[in-house]
Amino acid sequence: MKAISDLNLPEDVRYTDDHEWAKKTGDIVRMGISDYAQDQLGDIVFVELPAVGGTFDKGEEFGTVESVKAVSELYMPIGGEVTAINETLADEPERVNSDPYNGGWMMDIKAGDPAELNALKSRAAYLEMLKG
Amino acid sequence: MRYLPHTQKDIQQMLQVVGAADLDALFSSIPDDCCRKEEMNLPEPLTEWELNAHMDNLAAGMGASPAYKVFMGAGSYHHYIPEIIRQLLLRSEFFTAYTPYQPEISQGTLQTIYEYQTLVTRLLGMDVANASMYDGASGLAEALLMAIRVSRRKKVAVSRAVHPLYRKVVETYLAPTDFEVVTLPVGADGRTDLSGLKDLGELAGVALQSPNFFGCIEELEAAGKTIHADEKTLFVTAFSEPLAYGLLKHPGACGADIACGEGQSFGIPQSFGGPGLGMFAAKQKYVRAMPGRLIGKTVDRDGKTGFVLTLATREQHIRREKATSNICSNQGLCATASTMYMAAMGGTGIRKLSRLNRDRAEYLRASLAKAGFASPFKAPTFNEFVVRFPKGFADTWQTLLEKKIVAGLCLAPYYPELSDCWLMCVTETISKNEIDTLVKEVTQ
Amino acid sequence: MKEKMGTTGLIFNEPLLWEKGSTGRTGLSLPRRDVDEAPLDDALVGEGPDFPDLSELDVVRHFTKLSQWNFGVDSGMYPLGSCTMKYNPKTNERQASIPGFSGAHPLLPESLSQGALALMHDLQCYLGEITGLPAVTLQPAAGSQGELTGMLIFSAFHKHEGRARTKVLIPDTAHGTNPASAALCGFKAVPVKSGENGILSPESVAALMDEDTAGIMITNPNTLGLFEDNIRKVTEIVHNKGGLVYGDGANMNAIMGIVDNCDIGVDVLHLNLHKTFSTPHGGGGPGSGPVCVTPEMEPFLPVPRVVKEGDTYRLDEEYPLSVGKVHAFFGNFGILIRTYGYILSMGKRLKQVSRYAVLNANYIKESLKGDYHLPYDRPCMHECVFTDKYQQEYHVATLDIAKRLMDHGYHPPTIYFPLVVSGAIMIEPTESESKETLDRFIDAMKQIAEEARDCPDCLHEAPRFPKVRRLDETAAARKPCLQG
């Protein structure tokens, strides 16, 4: 397991209490799991994502991410409609480990209420949470 | 006592290391009000020789095969078990090993169960099989729960021709949930009547058994098409006699989504109903929704092929309350026995043995028909079939017990409309002569 | 330093069954054909399965070789915590294979099943006596099915009382089957945090117990090998709000003849016959999970029940409040025979079994506590829990210690369970192991602790001797290959 100081935590994304990241680009919010989460889980073997078009509320469980020894639920960082999922994860779930913020992205959401994104943590706040 | 190696000297030395005055001191931290006041009231322990005599005595009055000619199936079948299986199974490395959580020293168990999974997929024509469930009944219950999970619907339909005791277990499993079980009627020919299926609304799954409880071979292919008219409904096929698939078209060829049933016929003694073997297989796309253990092939760090438990995140020890099932064990030794049996029987052997079972049963069926005792059902059967007997047969049946013949299973407790019918079964262990004797006796 | 018990030896590679054989071979003696072939509609006939054709010797060699890759209780000490890997008496096999039992159809008329019914009836009585809970069902086919039965009883009881309850309290030390079984019955599993001392505190239970909670599931002794000292207070709290207490009896080997489960407030308890009662583990089953309950809970037990009338035994279905059926017939009768034989062989000595099991575990605990970190330094019951804390500075983890133990000739203990202890190593020796065996095991563990300091790579590279080295479980899960 990495030490907290070694974790990759980009400035340009927001973080949730459940160790997910969310990044707004125009209308769409892209999400995935943080470097801390992938490090804790270990080698990812499977990512279960919903079908495109589904809608979920903020905080609702929408999928799971599995490693050999553990499984974690995935929760909506904000509410909205699923507009795209990262299909490459079906064959290469390891991308979540090697590149959690880019190649390992999980889902694109059309935000129901864009203000919900502001309620998420900044890098600094997330770091505080990890340390505490 | 030969299982307890501790001598007084051992105990004294160990107590010294532990720092306890005596054995009682080891339990001193248990609060007084939790301690048992009286000794356990159990019989005087028996020596090995006394135990043998006692058990032989207890077993003496049992109406067991082959001493008795038992013409019953109904989910428990008497088949010959080759001596090699008995001896190979007793190899203590198989027998006394635990779940293969440490794969490096469990490759024997792991390869055997991988072979089991493979042979089961070939037998049933399915994509993937698990390491087994407890028995055919609980396997069916789990299959329906799986259909409910996958389809996200709440209603299942089960044919009345599915084994009545399996249906009782299904009811028990579904009782505390808000899922509904509907029973499908049996047609005049002894097969399930699916004509009312579309009126049942959105179904998670439909379960048929083939050969069914009456021994009748269901038209699975046609049933599959009818059921899949609703794409979301899963087609679950059950069985209690896997030997049938040495001869009949397998569930996979008929469009089954899940195939589950009782594997006791394959190298496992009847043993008054347990342990059994819940064979369970499904289509590839449902693998992550499957209950039970799964063994997978992989390589070790030297590149050598090896086997491990895999996809364990579905299971209770990781997923806990969100697991696909609460099952923790499989029927390891029974699955091992059935693998040895399938290996000994072989592809050529199973076809021959399967045919012989059916042909012997057909011979009894034809002989009884000739003697005036016909089947109420027209559908073709495998090694079991229903016969209607005249009033008074119950007495004949009782008398035949004294001649060490159990002439079938009375259907009255299970199907009131068939209270004058008996379910007859013949396997390869009952000879033509013994069949002739039965016919003679009932014709008297 | 003594010679390691694990050594190298000649074992054999062996292909998969379908990589062997030749069409036309057989390993089965086909019975003589004495009837004609009967016609069958072609539309129903299939091709038959693609099984390999093997000779009898092909089959014998195959499984003989495979068995040599395995480690069983008969091979050496198998200290898996919470599994009770005690010796499986061979006489049990003799009893289970008596033709009168092994060849018996479950639906034989009662007049021809008296022996089996008598055995089941008496076994029920013995298990009732041992646990203190007199009403018993032998039907569940495994411990987790026993738990399901217990949860069904909870559900039926509360429904009968006219109020459906939705929650069940489950300690964080519980085995994974506990919440899974509760969930199967539609209950929400509410976790209860254990105290600093590793056991449940009455306050934490009281804080969560309410009239929407069906009850609590407790393992006693718990999975840390500690006796739940506060259990009477806990059960009282639960009962006061109309709840029930479920006992997970997996750790029964520590308390036979010592604790009365009824007295301490348990209403429903399951046993694992393949743990406490010496039936073989068989590479993962079959087990058997009888459920013992108080007289108040008796009406809810599964049917049929074995009853005695005068000198005869029969099966009775007339229990309108029964939860139903969990097994097609009566449970794993073949396993019940072995348990019955074991109990008849031991009698009151079952109390000695528990006393020696606890002695063995404490002996290991005291002997190794300098070499391995002991999170709860207090008397343990039949198992003890260490962690890898002292070895972490050498970058050696619990997993490495376990893998190296194989090279030393032992099956590793349970690792990474219970979840509340990081890097847990749970050792349960059972009463079967002699002092010499324990001393050699302790020696091996001490050697490994030294190796962790002086040669950590010896552990990272372990195991070296078994047929395969560490396996790639990630690849197995990413691209599952589940049949050949």
Side-chain angles (χ1 to χ4, degrees), chain C residues 5 87 306 406-407 416:
Chain C
M5 209 170 65
Y87 172 64
V306 181
M406 294 182 206
D407 289 333
Y416 300 111

Side-chain angles (χ1 to χ4, degrees), chain B residues 6 24 33 36 41 54 73 91 95 97 102 109 134 172 249 272 298 300 304 326 330 333 348 359-360, chain C residues 33-34 44 53 67 70 104-105 129 144 181 232 258 282-285 325 340 355 360 403 467 469 472:
Chain B
H6 294 74
D24 284 336
D33 61 5
R36 200 181 168 117
N41 182 15
H54 175 77
R91 287 191 71 90
F95 215 78
Q102 297 291 352
T109 297
Y134 307 128
T172 303
K249 218 175 240 172
F272 206 55
T298 186
D300 79 350
K304 271 207 247 168
N326 72 335
N330 65 329
L333 208 57
T348 308
D359 295 339
R360 290 250 177 94
Chain C
R33 177 169 269 285
D34 50 7
L44 298 171
D53 281 352
S67 75
N70 254 21
H105 192 292
E129 175 65 21
S144 55
S181 304
R232 283 194 85 126
I258 294 161
K325 231 179 180 330
Y340 178 77
R355 284 152 72 84
N360 279 2
K403 298 302 181 191
K467 183 177 186 285
R469 313 277 308 286
D472 190 345

Side-chain angles (χ1 to χ4, degrees), chain C residues 82 171 173-174 194 197-200 218-229 248 251 376 378 381-383 385 417-418 426:
Chain C
S82 260
T173 50
S194 299
N197 54 1
I199 61 172
L200 287 174
I218 301 187
T219 309
N220 186 32
N222 67 21
T223 58
L224 293 165
L226 307 173
F227 190 84
E228 287 282 359
D229 293 338
D248 179 329
N251 291 335
Y376 302 97
R378 48 167 281 193
M381 304 254 12
H382 64 314
E383 60 196 8
V385 178
F417 181 82
M426 189 181 0

Side-chain angles (χ1 to χ4, degrees), chain A residues 14-85:
Chain A
R14 309 285 290 179
Y15 297 86
T16 71
D17 289 349
D18 302 304
H19 308 288
E20 294 161 1
W21 58 264
K23 181 174 174 175
K24 192 170 186 306
T25 313
D27 259 351
I28 300 296
V29 175
R30 177 160 283 197
M31 59 86 46
I33 63 172
S34 72
D35 192 31
Y36 173 79
Q38 72 75 20
D39 185 55
Q40 289 288 307
L41 281 166
D43 291 335
I44 306 288
V45 303
F46 187 71
V47 183
E48 189 188 358
L49 296 170
V52 169
T55 46
F56 300 88
D57 294 328
K58 178 182 160 91
E60 200 179 335
E61 184 191 321
F62 68 86
T64 58
V65 57
E66 268 182 53
S67 67
V68 175
K69 298 285 188 227
V71 73
S72 250
E73 283 75 33
L74 295 166
Y75 302 99
M76 293 293 275
I78 58 167
E81 182 192 329
V82 178
T83 56
I85 58 172

